[in-house]
């Protein structure tokens, strides 16, 4: 049997990794809804790390902290613990009240118009142990950075090097 059997029917993987433990400023590249290979509905926050704000929590993760320019994503599970975290993240990123966040609101965020693209979001991620003793990274959107703050705190050369335009922030 050839190693390449079935390669025609799969999609090439992206050059990204899950958002690991640490505190990061990210640029929102994409927010999407999709079906995984098992046909289950999923969502993904796809981002670029702009700055590593605190890497101390990352040492709990064997992979260590991300670096500037890393392509990262958060693909939440659909379990009861993750859905409230997704709602909290959307609340922080969009700056809206919790009661406005419903299925229609979230679905509209994942359209081709990509209203989250171009936003700068600070994430705090912590590695914990589940009740079964397995490692798990809890991801929390801390706040959205505005254009002025990005321009004051992130060197223009960094943004240019990452091919990021802060004007959408």
């Amino acid at each position: 049997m050839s190693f390449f059997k079935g390669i025609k029917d799969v999609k090439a993987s992206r050059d990204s990794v899950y958002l690991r433990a640490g505190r990061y400023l990210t640029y929102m590249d994409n927010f999407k809804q999709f079906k995984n290979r098992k046909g289950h509905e999923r969502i993904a926050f796809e981002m670029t790390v702009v700055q590593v704000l605190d890497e101390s929590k990352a040492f709990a993760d064997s992979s260590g902290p991300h670096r500037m320019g890393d392509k990262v994503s958060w693909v939440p599970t659909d379990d009861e613990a993750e859905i409230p975290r997704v709602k909290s993240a959307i609340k922080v990123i969009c700056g809206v009240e919790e009661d406005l966040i419903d299925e229609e609101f979230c679905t509209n965020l994942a359209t081709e118009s990509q209203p989250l693209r171009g936003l700068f979001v600070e994430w705090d991620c912590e590695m914990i142990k589940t009740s079964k003793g397995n490692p798990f990274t809890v991801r929390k959107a801390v706040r959205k950075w505005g254009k002025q703050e990005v321009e004051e705190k992130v060197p223009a050369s960094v943004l240019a090097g990452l091919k990021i335009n802060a004007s959408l922030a």
Side-chain angles (χ1 to χ4, degrees):
M1 177 157 113
S2 168
F3 173 84
F4 299 109
K5 181 176 173 39
I7 199 166
K8 180 173 177 60
D9 301 320
V10 300
K11 290 190 178 215
S13 64
R14 293 191 56 217
D15 185 19
S16 68
V17 295
Y18 290 123
L19 191 56
R20 297 191 297 257
R23 194 172 188 106
Y24 306 100
L25 173 62
T26 64
Y27 174 84
M28 293 292 299
D29 294 314
N30 197 19
F31 177 71
K32 67 181 181 179
Q33 185 173 3
F34 65 98
K35 287 189 182 197
N36 67 9
R37 63 179 175 254
K38 294 181 180 179
H40 299 158
E41 289 288 336
R42 301 299 297 271
I43 62 166
F45 295 82
E46 297 176 340
M47 304 162 275
T48 300
V49 174
V50 176
Q51 283 187 336
V52 179
L53 303 172
D54 181 3
E55 60 183 33
S56 61
K57 292 180 183 179
F59 296 108
D61 188 327
S62 62
S63 299
H66 290 291
R67 297 289 173 231
M68 181 178 57
D70 283 355
K71 296 290 187 183
V72 297
S73 60
W74 176 31
V75 182
T77 61
D78 57 0
D79 67 20
E80 292 177 16
E82 286 278 86
I83 300 302
R85 290 185 191 114
V86 169
K87 189 170 190 173
S88 292
I90 290 172
K91 178 182 175 195
V92 167
I93 294 167
C94 295
V96 298
E97 292 300 317
E98 187 173 331
D99 61 338
L100 293 176
I101 302 170
D102 59 14
E103 184 175 356
E104 181 182 2
F105 183 88
C106 295
T107 300
N108 287 333
L109 295 176
T111 61
E112 284 188 32
S113 65
Q114 285 297 300
L116 302 184
R117 182 178 291 137
L119 300 180
F120 290 82
V121 180
E122 183 176 332
W123 294 87
D124 187 40
C125 307
E126 184 172 1
M127 178 73 70
I128 64 165
K129 294 278 184 187
T130 65
S131 58
K132 294 180 181 178
N134 298 320
F136 181 79
T137 305
V138 177
R139 295 158 181 97
K140 178 183 175 189
V142 177
R143 66 192 182 98
K144 180 176 77 171
W145 285 32
K147 178 183 177 188
Q148 182 175 349
E149 184 175 17
V150 170
E151 290 175 344
E152 289 173 0
K153 296 182 178 178
V154 180
S157 60
V158 168
L159 296 173
L162 295 173
K163 297 182 174 80
I164 290 175
N165 182 346
S167 66
L168 299 175

